[in-house]
Structures are given as structure tokens and as C-alpha cells.
Amino acid sequence: MERETVRAAERQVSVRRGIKARWWVMFFIFLSTILAYTDRSNISVVAVTMMKQFGWNEQQYGMLASAFFAGYLLLGIPAGWLSDKWGGVKFLALGVILWSVFTAITPLAWGFGAMLLIRFLLGVGEAVNFPSHTSIVSRWSPLHVRGRWQGLNMSGMAIGVMIAAPITTWLTQNFSWHASFYFFGIIGIIWAVLWLKIATDDPKDNRFITKDELNEMKDINQLHSENQTRISWGALLRVKEIWGLTLIYFFQNYNWYLYLTWLPAYLMKARGFTLLKVGYFGMLPWLGAFIAMNVAGTASDYLTKRYSLTQARRIPIYVSFLGTAVFMALGAYTPNEWAALTYITLSVTFLGVNFAMFWTLPIDIGPKSAGTLSGVMNTSGTIAGIIAPALTGFLIVTLGSWQYVLFLGAALALVGAVLTRFMISANRVLD
């Protein structure tokens, strides 16, 4: 009786403040994405420092970046399936704790092999993040705003990279390159504790939710309360929409991880920026991506009022791929370092548009299987994450020029734009 009284009081506080329970859930999902990207990208800021200290070359650093994605690949599909089956809230907390621990112990690596293992296990933990998010959003988001919420969720990637650069630069200059790994690891543990107090898999079980808010979510709650038909993996893999997502997401993520793992080194080695300049000006591409992700999600939801759902998802994807390709190629051509920074910033901005679309489409296609579908899609993106850093390092070492790297990325973006016309659909074909 006392517990019910406390819960009722908490709900009344929520009503008075006008803060809906799902807003808290979505905000913490956004924060976990920020943490995921600070923890995976801070190493790119100190890459040159680490390579000098340990005597590693670009190809070895590319292998470290690829080791992360090998671990990410291992748990990608199981993470989505388990999130749908058991619920994403506790599974997400487990993943954040795991990757935060391996972030914190990164400076303790005693050699290249140990560093490879730690980056691999960091990837295993982070594989939980996005499939769990998508499963949770499919249960918590009303149908007409799912693009907006996934846009916010994915924009945490850009914020994570953006803040990782100045924070890591400041900590490295004032302490050592070790400091940012300790700092971001501790923040992740704190997040996990708070998340378990705030979020639940079923909105009806949440102590902060009101009856009015549950009524707003009635359609999605009714959908998830229905008995789900068991779908075999064979049937799942015969769905055209899933193959379209999976293939085209590879082209998207190739360029994303190219920038994520190599942009600071590119600005320093190819364009002559200092570490301090990278810490400040290196934020600009990710700021552009943050804005683009949120605008794209909201714009796509708006386009659904004028076009079919499939067209509302495709139009931003066309814009994203074409803008990425054009400005990537211009960045390769220009001899001026500030013009290059401008073009690369615009390229990353356009690249950011796609993420809200790709991570909303699994919910469109199969809302009750969204975690599984996003896990399948993300596996392809992870393969791109394995290939892009290592291939980039190889091209730089063997060809001695960044131009080939950027031209290849532009070509892949154009291929993605063409395939979108024939292979991307938002039709609900599952559940």
C-alpha cells in the first residue's frame, strides 16, 4: 500500500512538471549513445601520440580500430534478438557497464596484442547499444514521432565524437593520454546505475508514467501486448526490405567509420593541423552531423503527411548520399586546409542525415522484431567498420595519398544512393 502511495505521488510530480516518462527514457538513450561514441572515438584523438610512444604505424593503428569492430560484429545480431526476447533495458545496462570497464582499463594494456584484445572486448560491449535502443524505442515511441526519437538517439553519436575531441585533448595536455579513458569509463558506470532506476521495458511498469501518457501510447502498447508469431531466420532472411537495409547500410557506415577513426589523423598529417586545432576545429563536422540527424528525423516524420512512408524515408537518404559524395570529392581535390575542413564538415553533415532513417526503418518494417532487424542491419555496418579503418591505413601506407581514400568513399556513397531506389522500403512486412 505504501509503495503504491509513493508511486502515485511520483506520477503527480511528473504531471505537474510536464515531463513525460518517455522523455526521460529517450534522453537517457541519447546519453548512452554519447557515451558509446566518446569511448570508441577518444582513441582517434590520441592516435598520433600513441603511435609515437609505442612505435606503431598507420597500418597497426588501423588494425586496432578494426579489432573494435570485430568484437562489435560478434554480438551484433544476438544483441538485437536478446533485446526483443528479454527486453532491452537491463541488457543495455549490462552492455554499458562492460564497455565502460574496458574503456577504463585501456591504459593498462602492456603491448599491442593486449591493446587488440581490449579494443575487441570494448566492441563486444558496445554491440548491445543500438539494437537495444531500437527495441526500447519500438515499445516507448508513439508511431507518428519514431523518426524524431531515433534522430535524437542517433545524434548522440555526433555529440559523443564532438565532445570527445576537446575533452580528450584537454586531459591529454594536462595529465596524459591515459586520463580520458579513466574519465569516460567512470561516467559510463554512473549512467548504468541511474538508467536502471529510470527505465522499464514495459511502459505500464514505469513508476513515473501517467495514465494520460499511457493513453497517448495506446496503439503501440496494444501492438506489443499481442502474441507475436514466431518467425524463422530463414523466413526473415527472405524479406527484400531486410536485405536492402543490410546492404545499403554498409555503404553508409563505411564512410562514417572512415571519418570516425581517421579524421583527426587526416587533419594533422594531411592538412597540418596541430593537436590543439584538431581539438577545437575537429568538432565542426560532428556538430553538423548532430544538427542533420535531428532535422532529418523530424523532417521525415513531416514528410509522412505528404508522401507515402517509403518515400518519406527514401528522400532524406538520397539527399544524404549525394551530399556526402559531392563534398567528399571536393575535400580530396582542394589544396587549401581550411577549404578541406569546410568540405569535410559538409560531407559529415550530409552523412548524418541517413542515421535517423536507417534506425527508424527496422521499426517501420517489423515493430516487434525491431531489435533483431536492427542487429542484422548493424552487422553489415560493422563489417564496414572492420574494413574501412584497415583499408584506409593500407591505402595510405602503400599509395601515400589521402585522395584515393576520399574518392573511394565518394564512389561508395553514390552506389548507396542508386541502390536506395530499388532496395529501400518502409512497408510493414513483419509482426
Side-chain angles (χ1 to χ4, degrees), residues 54 56 64 108-116:
F54 296 110
W56 300 336
L64 282 179
L108 304 181
W110 56 89
F112 186 72
M115 187 68 80
L116 278 174

Side-chain angles (χ1 to χ4, degrees), residues 106-317:
T106 297
L108 304 181
W110 56 89
F112 186 72
M115 187 68 80
L116 278 174
L117 178 61
I118 288 173
R119 296 300 293 180
F120 173 84
L121 293 172
L122 176 67
V124 170
E126 290 210 12
V128 173
N129 193 60
F130 293 115
S132 292
H133 286 184
T134 306
S135 182
I136 295 165
V137 170
S138 74
R139 295 172 180 270
W140 275 88
S141 174
L143 302 178
H144 62 285
V145 292
R146 58 174 57 149
R148 183 183 312 168
W149 287 125
Q150 284 295 71
L152 175 67
N153 170 13
M154 303 312 294
S155 71
M157 299 190 297
I159 291 294
V161 181
M162 188 170 68
I163 67 173
I167 292 174
T168 302
T169 298
W170 186 86
L171 289 171
T172 300
Q173 291 189 329
N174 287 276
F175 300 97
S176 72
W177 67 264
H178 301 181
S180 68
F181 293 93
Y182 298 141
F183 174 76
F184 291 129
I186 291 169
I187 295 296
I189 301 297
I190 295 171
W191 178 94
V193 173
L194 295 175
W195 168 250
L196 290 173
K197 293 181 178 296
I198 287 171
T200 56
D201 288 305
D202 191 331
K204 294 192 296 292
D205 296 333
N206 194 278
R207 60 181 177 172
F208 299 109
I209 204 163
T210 65
K211 289 183 179 179
D212 287 342
E213 187 176 1
L214 281 172
N215 286 333
E216 293 175 13
M217 302 162 63
K218 182 168 58 177
D219 291 344
I220 195 69
N221 288 331
Q222 183 178 352
L223 171 66
H224 281 278
S225 65
E226 296 171 358
N227 291 328
Q228 183 172 4
T229 303
R230 184 178 294 275
I231 301 172
S232 70
W233 281 101
L236 196 72
L237 296 178
R238 286 194 294 270
V239 177
K240 180 194 73 174
E241 286 79 1
I242 296 173
W243 281 105
L245 271 180
T246 302
L247 175 62
I248 299 172
Y249 196 59
F250 175 92
F251 299 109
Q252 168 69 12
N253 262 23
Y254 182 94
N255 284 330
W256 182 254
Y257 287 124
L258 163 62
Y259 283 132
L260 182 67
T261 54
W262 282 105
L263 183 56
Y266 166 74
L267 292 175
M268 293 175 71
K269 291 203 164 191
R271 296 299 181 176
F273 282 67
T274 64
L275 178 61
L276 186 61
K277 283 185 177 179
V278 169
Y280 292 115
F281 296 109
M283 293 191 296
L284 294 176
W286 311 111
L287 176 60
F290 168 75
I291 295 170
M293 290 175 191
N294 283 287
V295 170
T298 302
S300 181
D301 286 339
Y302 172 77
L303 288 172
T304 60
K305 300 175 183 178
R306 303 187 60 182
Y307 303 97
S308 70
L309 187 59
T310 292
Q311 289 175 307
R313 304 303 188 217
R314 278 181 185 170
I315 291 170
I317 294 175

Side-chain angles (χ1 to χ4, degrees), residues 18-72:
I19 301 175
K20 296 179 179 180
R22 68 175 178 270
W23 295 357
W24 282 112
V25 172
M26 300 303 174
F27 178 66
F28 266 77
I29 285 176
F30 168 69
L31 290 180
S32 77
T33 302
I34 292 175
L35 288 171
Y37 267 72
T38 56
D39 290 3
R40 75 171 69 177
S41 66
N42 68 326
I43 193 172
S44 68
V45 180
V46 297
V48 174
T49 303
M50 292 176 68
M51 285 191 284
K52 286 181 180 178
Q53 179 176 331
F54 296 110
W56 300 336
N57 61 24
E58 284 86 351
Q59 195 162 354
Q60 285 175 298
Y61 172 69
M63 290 175 62
L64 282 179
S66 295
F68 169 89
F69 293 107
Y72 204 77

